[in-house]
Amino acid sequence: MALPGLAISTDQGQLTGQGLEGFYRAGRRVLSRCQVRVAGREPVAVQAWTTAADRARFVGTLHASPGSGPDPDVVVERTRHADGTERITLRSAAPRPLRLPVEVALGTDLADLGAIASGRAGPELAASVHDSGLRWSCAAGSASVTANPPPADALASAGLLRWEFDLPPGGTASLELRVRPDGAGPVRAAGRASTSPLAPARATGDHPGVQPLLSTSIDDLQALLLRDPAHPTDTHLAAGVPWRCGLAPAEALVAARMALPLGTRLAAATLRTLARTQLRGPAAQSGMIPGPRRDAGPHLPPGCTGTEATLLFPVLLAEAHRWGLPQEEAEELLPTAELCLSWLRTAVGEGTYLCDPQPGGPLRCETQAHAHRAAVLGADLLDAFGRPGGAGLRQWARELRTAFREDFWVEDRGGGRPAAAAAPDGRLVPQLAATTVHLLDTGLVGGGEQAPGLLDRVQTEQLARLLGSPTMDSGWGLRGLGAKEAGYNPFGHRTGSVRVHETAVAVAGLAAAGYEKEAGSLLRGLLAAADSFGHRLPEMYAGEQRTDGSAPLPHPAACRPSATAAATGVLLLTALAGIRPDAPAGTVTLRPVRSAPLGEIGLTGLRVAGAPFSVRVSRLGLAMVEEAADGLQLGA
């Protein structure tokens, strides 16, 4: 993919029109069928791989010479690009000249992705001969395929293009197909422009998965970038492919925050894009950044991602400021952050906790964690720019910490656990869920310090023990719900599947809090899963227990890639180095994971304070800065 372009097929290479197969542009399938036959036969697929986020290569073979024995003598290679281009190359190894007829069968329904996913795509449309190819039209639009060289025959009734190629011994012949909606030019993918907001960082190290994980993460993030149509200089990340190719505010903010080590430009553009969606006026929702509802499993009603996005906005702005967001850009976004914080104080009112926006909604554990972090980092941000309100936010955060440690802790014989939520009547929802990892994600404040969290030291230690237990740690990452909890389902969206983003947050939070054994176990499990998925992690996969010789089971409804899963590669590796910048103060502090769970690791091409930044962590867990901005000092 290179959004808004996308191509989906099996590893056989043929586009058969089954399921989701096809070329897409902006969520519409412009070609569903592209089947190649050479000398009347389909090539035998022998290999397929993704060579980059925006292209794939398929290789097949066939016997074209009579009496040639068991060895194939023609190789058919297809290189497919997300921009709607496919190149088909024939290579002959026959000892005598070959005349090879080639047919390409084409078709489409011009259906949108939502209709396809729900089984409402409809039949293929009738084709017409157009230019050097075929064309299809319906009320929703039209699309065409053009071929170079032009076909010898074009049969609209059968949707066929035909060629005949003469290949000498060792010779090659190629044809190229271009599919696009009528009136549309080539796909202009935001992430493939020279002005990409993401730095081309690289990783090296003892662990073989380090380098491909980071390079694939950045490649996928580039391919998921979209432009704001009304403000094309601003880009943001789509939530994921294929199901969520548009803007999801909470996920876009989460991924931009994890990608801060690659520079602050994506964060700034995402914040500007979402600032334009903020609700204004006298209503109770004034200051919110709207977002859809999200399934929360059987124990809780769906949650409001708009609440999460509103609380993430000031957090991302505050941390981007620490990473080096220019002062004038931060000041431009500050009024929106202030409105988010005002909404928080208004929504809490005279109480202590932030309730769900729907009447009678629960008090969610992760919502309190997001709210507390927004208050602490928001106060830090307001103080940095000389704006009022910081003292009040800090006072409320202190009150929330005191109350939460008492009200949200479920005592049991195992040492207790944080409650997943509290019902309006005060009853606690005791299930052990991965959402508790947000209690460890406290955020970055001045001087390279981690902000205080909602749990005290003893409770944090107990949570670390629980997250590192076999109940939660599947060996491939963190389960969304403990394996011993009622309703556990290893394939459940929120009831047992491994959600990659939450596992990465757990690794970073545990490492920052000093629980390196638990962090290392989850990290190694996630890297093993990444290797199984070709280093392109899906947003989730089944939480089945890892055993010798096993592999993680894919989830059929998962986006792969997704913005938050792709960004975890950046978060995981920079968390190992413990990079904590304070660009306004001209310092960067390093708090590496001392146990060095992946051995030596080197990161180059990151960005801190607007300049390239490189760091190396030795096998002894010692970190050394190898490149940094002029004047940037190493913090204590």
Side-chain angles (χ1 to χ4, degrees):
M1 77 285 173
L3 296 182
L6 170 66
I8 301 173
S9 78
T10 70
D11 58 7
Q12 299 299 298
Q14 300 279 41
L15 297 179
T16 65
Q18 301 298 309
L20 286 172
E21 291 183 24
F23 280 98
Y24 293 78
R25 174 76 72 90
R28 184 168 299 280
R29 182 157 64 182
V30 290
L31 188 70
S32 57
R33 193 161 52 87
C34 181
Q35 294 172 289
V36 176
R37 292 172 66 87
V38 179
R41 301 189 301 278
E42 289 194 12
V44 176
V46 295
Q47 191 178 63
W49 69 98
T50 301
T51 58
D54 64 338
R55 56 191 178 274
R57 183 170 177 256
F58 306 89
V59 177
T61 61
L62 54 86
H63 294 79
S65 302
S68 62
D71 301 328
D73 53 10
V74 174
V75 173
V76 182
E77 180 179 315
R78 303 172 70 170
T79 303
R80 182 171 297 148
H81 292 255
D83 65 1
T85 303
E86 178 154 336
R87 188 168 188 83
I88 302 167
T89 301
L90 310 177
R91 293 190 176 91
S92 172
R96 59 181 63 88
L98 296 176
R99 169 160 285 192
L100 295 178
V102 176
E103 291 183 344
V104 179
L106 303 166
T108 189
D109 47 21
L110 291 177
D112 66 68
L113 186 59
I116 297 166
S118 59
R120 297 181 288 105
E124 281 191 1
L125 302 169
S128 61
V129 175
H130 173 74
D131 196 7
S132 57
L134 299 174
R135 183 175 183 268
W136 301 265
S137 296
C138 68
S142 56
S144 61
V145 171
T146 56
N148 183 30
D153 293 300
L155 305 178
S157 59
L160 274 180
L161 302 181
R162 290 175 173 166
W163 296 260
E164 279 205 359
F165 292 106
D166 292 312
L167 272 70
T172 65
S174 296
L175 65 93
E176 187 171 87
L177 305 174
R178 293 180 179 271
V179 55
R180 60 189 54 164
D182 278 7
V187 171
R188 297 184 60 198
R192 298 301 165 189
S194 59
T195 56
S196 171
L198 300 171
R202 292 291 179 264
T204 59
D206 293 337
H207 193 288
V210 165
Q211 185 275 329
L213 177 65
L214 185 60
S215 62
T216 303
S217 292
I218 296 174
D219 201 29
D220 285 344
L221 290 172
Q222 301 272 27
L224 287 167
L225 284 172
L226 290 173
R227 300 183 190 278
D228 184 337
H231 299 82
T233 58
D234 285 341
T235 55
H236 60 270
L237 290 164
V241 170
W243 312 108
R244 305 174 69 201
C245 291
L247 173 62
E251 283 84 349
L253 289 164
V254 167
R257 183 176 173 229
M258 291 194 288
L260 279 172
L262 305 179
T264 60
R265 290 174 54 202
L266 174 61
T270 302
L271 290 167
R272 285 192 294 267
T273 299
L274 292 177
R276 293 188 279 269
T277 72
Q278 189 176 42
L279 302 178
R280 308 294 175 102
Q285 291 185 324
S286 178
M288 277 198 78
I289 294 170
R293 304 195 69 75
R294 177 195 290 149
D295 176 60
H299 304 296
L300 291 170
C304 176
T305 64
T307 297
E308 184 179 347
T310 307
L311 298 172
L312 275 167
F313 191 102
V315 168
L316 178 57
L317 181 56
E319 292 193 327
H321 183 235
R322 295 291 171 199
W323 279 89
L325 180 67
Q327 192 88 352
E328 60 275 13
E329 291 188 57
E331 285 183 317
E332 174 193 344
L333 292 160
L334 194 57
T336 304
E338 288 180 303
L339 284 175
C340 292
L341 295 169
S342 295
W343 171 85
L344 169 60
R345 296 304 308 274
T346 301
V348 171
E350 297 301 316
T352 303
Y353 297 110
L354 179 61
C355 299
D356 266 22
Q358 74 267 30
L363 304 173
R364 299 175 196 264
C365 171
E366 70 269 27
T367 299
Q368 311 317 310
H370 295 325
H372 179 265
R373 185 181 58 208
V376 174
L377 271 64
D380 200 48
L381 180 68
L382 295 176
D383 289 354
F385 286 89
R387 305 292 273 265
L393 287 167
R394 285 194 181 88
Q395 176 61 32
W396 174 73
R398 283 192 293 269
E399 294 169 359
L400 178 61
R401 282 199 294 275
T402 301
F404 185 91
R405 292 169 182 178
E406 182 70 27
D407 297 343
F408 268 75
W409 194 256
V410 180
E411 295 290 353
D412 59 30
R413 286 181 291 182
R417 62 177 66 181
D425 61 4
R427 178 181 54 85
L428 295 179
V429 179
Q431 278 73 24
L432 178 61
T435 50
T436 56
V437 302
H438 297 291
L439 295 168
L440 301 172
D441 182 13
T442 60
L444 183 68
V445 291
E449 295 296 325
Q450 292 290 120
L454 282 175
L455 299 179
D456 62 26
R457 184 184 60 81
V458 173
Q459 291 171 333
T460 301
E461 183 176 352
Q462 173 65 2
L463 177 58
R465 188 184 69 80
L466 291 171
L467 295 178
S469 70
T471 298
M472 293 298 291
D473 185 351
S474 70
W476 300 115
L478 194 69
R479 294 185 176 94
L481 186 70
K484 296 180 180 179
E485 302 294 335
Y488 168 73
N489 172 6
F491 279 94
H493 275 64
R494 301 282 169 179
T495 55
S497 67
V498 173
R499 301 193 66 85
V500 169
H501 161 233
E502 285 175 341
T503 302
V505 169
V507 170
L510 288 166
Y515 299 99
E516 297 187 1
K517 177 184 176 183
E518 293 81 0
S521 176
L522 290 171
L523 171 64
R524 286 186 290 268
L526 203 54
L527 281 172
D531 183 64
S532 177
F533 286 110
H535 303 286
R536 172 182 275 180
L537 282 163
E539 70 176 310
M540 61 183 170
Y541 45 87
E544 294 278 6
Q545 187 63 42
R546 181 180 180 180
T547 59
D548 289 344
S550 68
L553 298 176
H555 194 294
C559 286
R560 177 176 177 263
S562 80
T564 55
T568 59
V570 182
L571 175 63
L572 290 171
L573 299 182
T574 54
L576 286 177
I579 305 168
R580 302 183 187 179
D582 189 350
T587 64
V588 60
T589 303
L590 300 179
R591 295 283 186 270
V593 177
R594 295 292 185 180
S595 58
L598 302 183
E600 183 174 303
I601 180 173
L603 301 172
T604 60
L606 304 175
R607 295 192 72 82
V608 175
F613 183 85
S614 300
V615 64
R616 183 168 299 277
V617 180
S618 74
R619 297 181 184 93
L620 300 176
L622 301 175
M624 176 185 299
V625 175
E626 297 185 331
E627 182 182 23
D630 290 341
L632 192 66
Q633 300 294 314
L634 194 61

